[in-house]
Structure formats: structure tokens, C-alpha cells
Amino acid sequence: MDKLNTVLIAILILMFAAAGVNAFAGYSGNNALAVHYMTEQKWSDGSCAGCHFGMDDQVAESYHVDQDLKKWTSFMDYGVDVDSIEGEERARTFGQTHPGGNYMAEYGVELDCMICHEQHDLYDYEARSEVISSGNFDMADEAALGEARSEVQKEPLYVISYMLDVLTPLPLVTEIHDEVNAGPRGEQCASTCHISEVPKTAVTWVDENHALYDAHAELDCIDCHETEDHQIGSPELIDAPESVEEAFEVEVKSCDAEGCHAGISHGALVDGHLSALECETCHIPALPGAEIEGGGALEMFSWANGMREDVTRDEEFTPAISWYRGIPYDSLPVETGMGEDAMLKPFNIVTGVWWDEGTNPEVAADPNGSASIGNPIGPAIVMEADIDGNGEVTVEEIRSYDGNSDGNADYPDAVLRNVEMYFPVSHNIAGSNVGLAEPLGCADCHGVTGTAIDWQALGYETDPAGADSDFTGTEIDVSIPGQRPTEVEREPAF
């Protein structure tokens, strides 16, 4: 037995030595071995498929890759209707935040696993974005990780990971592998693709003081946005095509889920509100304004004169509480009103202003209240319509605009839309020691002191709890299963 053990140990030593040689060969010019590293950003049998069989097809079908960018989102961010741009222009515009694959593969930008899985802040998202916006699509991968690649492939963790991939069972490989290529980190999601949420919802996830604003700051996104088959849980799929949306079943973990706040209670009366009230309605009592990193919270944006003009909130503000039933596919996120399955939720209301052709019956009938996207007029055309060049486009100017000089006005029915868009807020959760203000209490919404809710705007004649009541001083207790009972003070027995 001792002899057998000695032989096995000798074999293992030789295998580790060989693996070590191969590992170091990986970054020294051996292309066949170098491809193993995810830093090469290529899917192959040698680097990924051996353990993650079929995963490339799975990722390609995820809604993060199979995106159908909604028109209202595109219009707000870029001042264009997404259907109005095609080909390379579309790839340059929207490909900057696309992980590759799908329609970007047509331009040589293949799916890049490292865009989500790189763990040491070496991925240069800005450089990748710049080369894509310039049309140098084939340089995207190199711009993102080219400079760091050789350095990374010499890192001990990568070398050990490579050796263990070759030699050890999967559980042990995972312990090492996840140190270099684990699941997406919250800061990756926040500071890259989802930084666009900052102006819309005043989230502070790219702010250095994020932990002061949000009780969940220490969590990773996927802790709540549960993920299955690379589909990351979401309350709604704003940018997903209908085929993906219909098959999508993964949602955001509920507040009272096991491992979160399971069994927590605020008392029977308050708990009864939860059938029509999202937890964040009370736990996001205030949001920061312009001082946050990533851009100030928007109050208004306007393309009325062909160039985007923003009005941001210059101080903290109270989100509006309104009904929420999700955002219907391919529609503007306007107020939905009370109805079946509607829940009260906080919103940042952003007024959007732009010119529309006025040919859509719904838009023509109610340009400011209709949820229809209609037919937006592009900013370049709006600027051309400014005949007197004073920087202000009037109704007469846009309706008389004759771009093709055929003697007929192109947009005789044009209307200027002023649409209040409701962006649901779910982050910056306030707790007892975190947030801009204490979570809302009874007196904030009900009775003579209640100002947080406009009951008539929600469809009620008056405050359901009694408009003349006074709830000042009413406390909302919190009980957590298993917590220590409150100490009771007693007089000494003797």
C-alpha cells in the first residue's frame, strides 16, 4: 500500500509539473493553450464548453443578448426612434452596451463572457464603447481587455485555476475558478450598462456613498435578481422581444423570501396593506437629486428644439406614489390607474417633450396622455424646421417644413407632446439607520398630517382611513421570527 501511495504521489507531482508548464505556456505564445483563459474572450471547447456544455446557446437566447430595444427608451436616451436607424448606425448606437452576439455578431462583435464575468476591474468598458461607436467593431474585444490580458494570464489565481481545471474534480475547480471568473458583481452591472438608470430613478449604486442611501448596498444584484439559464430575474423585460418575454419565468426575489425577510411582521393592520402596497412604497421615502454620481435625477427632458435639454432635480425629493401594473411592451410608461393586480409603488415622474407627426389616432386625440409611442420626429429634422434660426421651433415652422421641396408640408399635423412618464423606483431602500429619511409611517399617508399620497389622484374620493383622523405618534412595530424578546423593566423585588 505504501508503495502504491508513493507511486500515486509521484504521478500527481508529474501531472502538476506538466500542468504548470502548460499553464505558463498559455501566456507565452502557445495559442492552443492560451485560448483556455477566458481573457481570450472566445468560446471554445478548450476554455469553456468542456464544463459549460451548451451554455453559449443558452446565453445567446437570454434577453440581455436577444435585445429588442424599445422605442421610448431609445428616444429618451438618444433622441431617435430605434426603427429609424438600421445597419451599422444602429450597431454603433446601441452596441456600446450590448454584450455581443445576436445582431452585433453581424459586425464581428461576438458574445464576450468577460463583459459580465471579469472579477478584478480590468475590463475596459469605456474603451470598448469608443471603438464600437467609431465603427471599429472588430477591435471591441481587444480594446476591452487587450492591455490586461498578458498580465492577467500570469496571475497566480489564473494559473492555479488552469492547473486545477486539468487535474481535479469540479467542486474543487469551482472554489478556485470563481475567484477569477465568478458571477456578475453589482458594481459591474451598475457602472456599465445600468448606469442609465441613475437619471431615471435616482439610484445611487455608482456613488461612493451608496451604502448611506441603500440598506441593500452590500448585496450583489443577482442576490435578489435570481438567475436561471442566464435569464436574470426582472419584474418586467423592457428591452426583450415578445418571444423571450413569453417564455420568461424568473422574477426578482420577494422581500419576505427565505434568506431575506422571511416571516417579518409589522402587525396585522400594516401587513394587511401588502395586498395592494409594495414594500418599497414606504421604504423609499426620499431620493437624492443632482449631487449623486452618474448624473442628477431627471425632472424633465425636451427635444422641442432639436437638441436635448435636461432639467434635473437640484435637491432631494419625494417619489410619487401611484398604481403599477408593469410596463406594457412597446408603450410609454404613463400612469396606469387603479385596476386588477395594480399595486402602489414609488415613481420618479419625468416629463418628456418631443414633436410627433400627429398621424397616430391615439396621439392625435390625447398627445400628452396617450401611452402610444406614435411617430416621433427626429431631432435633425426638428432643427432644420427652425426657419428663422432663432433656436426655437414653433408649431407653424414644424407643420410647414418641406424637407424634400415638393411643395407639400411633411408634417402638417405635427403636435408637441408633453408626456409624464412614470419610472418605477425599487432601489435606495431606507431602514432604521440607512437612507435620506425614516420609512413612511401611518401619519405620513393618512389623516390630517398625510401628505405622501394624493388619494383623489389614486381614484379614491377621500382618505380610506379617515381624512379627519390624526395618526401622529402611531408607531409601526417590527417583529422578526427568532429575535430576542423586548426586555421588560421591573421594579426590584426587594
Side-chain angles (χ1 to χ4, degrees):
M1 181 62 70
D2 290 339
K3 185 177 181 180
L4 178 60
N5 287 339
T6 301
V7 171
L8 290 175
I9 290 172
I11 292 173
L12 284 174
I13 291 173
L14 289 173
M15 291 176 65
F16 270 99
V21 171
N22 286 339
F24 281 96
Y27 66 78
S28 63
N30 189 323
N31 292 331
L33 294 173
V35 75
H36 170 86
Y37 293 96
M38 282 185 70
T39 49
E40 291 294 322
Q41 300 157 279
K42 298 182 184 300
W43 184 275
S44 72
D45 291 340
S47 62
C48 312
C51 294
H52 305 288
F53 180 74
M55 199 72 72
D56 52 339
D57 292 331
Q58 183 187 102
V59 177
E61 294 171 1
S62 70
Y63 75 87
H64 272 78
V65 174
D66 191 11
Q67 295 183 53
D68 179 15
L69 294 165
K70 283 177 68 102
K71 299 176 184 178
W72 67 261
T73 304
S74 305
F75 189 90
M76 178 181 173
D77 289 344
Y78 302 102
V80 296
D81 175 354
V82 70
D83 287 345
S84 70
I85 57 174
E86 296 294 341
E88 286 196 9
E89 184 181 356
R90 185 183 183 197
R92 287 196 303 269
T93 303
F94 301 108
Q96 299 175 44
T97 55
H98 195 283
N102 197 263
Y103 76 85
M104 288 302 295
E106 301 174 19
Y107 304 96
V109 184
E110 297 294 340
L111 182 62
D112 185 359
C113 300
M114 294 296 279
I115 201 168
C116 292
H117 291 284
E118 201 281 316
Q119 294 295 300
H120 298 287
D121 297 322
L122 296 170
Y123 198 97
D124 194 334
Y125 297 92
E126 186 174 340
R128 179 182 187 270
S129 176
E130 288 177 357
V131 298
I132 289 177
S133 65
S134 68
N136 296 319
F137 304 111
D138 58 343
M139 294 296 294
D141 288 351
E142 186 66 23
L145 212 53
E147 290 187 11
R149 186 175 296 129
S150 61
E151 176 186 344
V152 168
Q153 291 178 4
K154 298 176 185 178
E155 286 289 327
L157 280 175
Y158 278 88
V159 174
I160 293 171
S161 175
Y162 179 86
M163 293 166 63
L164 293 178
D165 283 348
V166 175
L167 298 171
T168 66
L170 183 59
L172 184 56
V173 171
T174 303
E175 289 300 313
I176 301 297
H177 186 68
D178 282 0
E179 287 295 321
V180 289
N181 295 312
R185 295 172 290 121
E187 54 266 33
Q188 282 177 300
C189 305
S191 62
T192 54
C193 303
H194 297 282
I195 195 172
S196 62
E197 295 299 312
V198 176
K200 294 183 232 178
T201 62
V203 292
T204 57
W205 47 35
V206 295
D207 195 281
E208 62 179 357
N209 295 317
H210 180 44
L212 301 178
Y213 294 103
D214 197 333
H216 295 151
E218 299 304 317
L219 297 176
D220 272 331
C221 301
I222 57 177
D223 290 334
C224 295
H225 294 264
E226 294 185 295
T227 301
E228 183 178 327
D229 297 336
H230 271 87
Q231 296 287 24
I232 299 175
S234 175
E236 68 272 323
L237 306 183
I238 291 178
D239 297 334
E242 292 182 75
S243 59
V244 173
E245 192 163 10
E246 289 170 359
F248 191 79
E249 297 179 352
V250 188
E251 297 182 354
V252 179
K253 186 182 292 185
S254 64
C255 299
D256 60 354
E258 194 65 37
C260 296
H261 306 290
I264 192 171
S265 174
H266 293 75
L269 184 62
V270 177
D271 290 352
H273 285 60
L274 298 180
S275 62
L277 188 75
E278 300 280 8
C279 298
E280 54 264 37
T281 308
C282 297
H283 281 275
I284 307 180
L287 290 169
E291 74 274 10
I292 56 176
E293 294 181 25
L298 271 179
E299 185 173 2
M300 175 181 176
F301 69 92
S302 174
W303 293 97
N305 300 309
M307 295 183 65
R308 177 164 161 168
E309 299 175 68
D310 291 347
V311 176
T312 56
R313 302 180 186 273
D314 56 6
E315 57 186 16
E316 66 182 62
F317 66 100
T318 303
I321 295 175
S322 188
W323 295 107
Y324 178 73
R325 284 181 287 175
I327 299 175
Y329 185 78
D330 211 21
S331 297
L332 297 174
V334 299
E335 184 181 18
T336 58
M338 186 188 301
E340 186 178 358
D341 299 327
M343 297 284 284
L344 288 176
K345 188 177 177 71
F347 294 85
N348 180 29
I349 301 177
V350 180
T351 300
V353 181
W354 65 89
W355 288 102
D356 186 273
E357 294 180 14
T359 53
N360 180 289
E362 294 180 23
V363 172
D366 186 10
N368 298 338
S370 172
S372 175
I373 291 168
N375 301 290
I377 300 174
I381 294 175
V382 174
M383 293 183 72
E384 287 182 18
D386 183 17
I387 303 299
D388 59 15
N390 68 351
E392 296 183 7
V393 179
T394 65
V395 174
E396 292 74 18
E397 286 177 323
I398 194 71
R399 287 185 175 179
S400 61
Y401 174 76
D402 181 12
N404 56 9
S405 302
D406 64 354
N408 297 310
D410 295 346
Y411 310 108
D413 302 310
V415 293
L416 185 65
R417 303 187 69 180
N418 285 260
V419 183
E420 287 191 342
M421 294 192 284
Y422 283 62
F423 291 96
V425 178
S426 299
H427 299 87
N428 283 25
I429 300 294
S432 57
N433 300 311
V434 176
L436 290 172
E438 290 286 331
L440 298 180
C442 301
D444 293 311
C445 299
H446 296 291
V448 293
T449 59
T451 58
I453 292 181
D454 183 340
W455 292 105
Q456 291 186 340
L458 293 181
Y460 295 91
E461 291 184 8
T462 186
D463 180 355
D468 298 328
S469 303
D470 188 351
F471 293 90
T472 305
T474 304
E475 294 186 4
I476 298 178
D477 296 324
V478 181
S479 62
I480 304 171
Q483 73 177 13
R484 181 178 178 178
T486 303
E487 295 287 349
V488 178
E489 294 185 8
R490 299 178 183 276
E491 291 294 328
F494 300 100

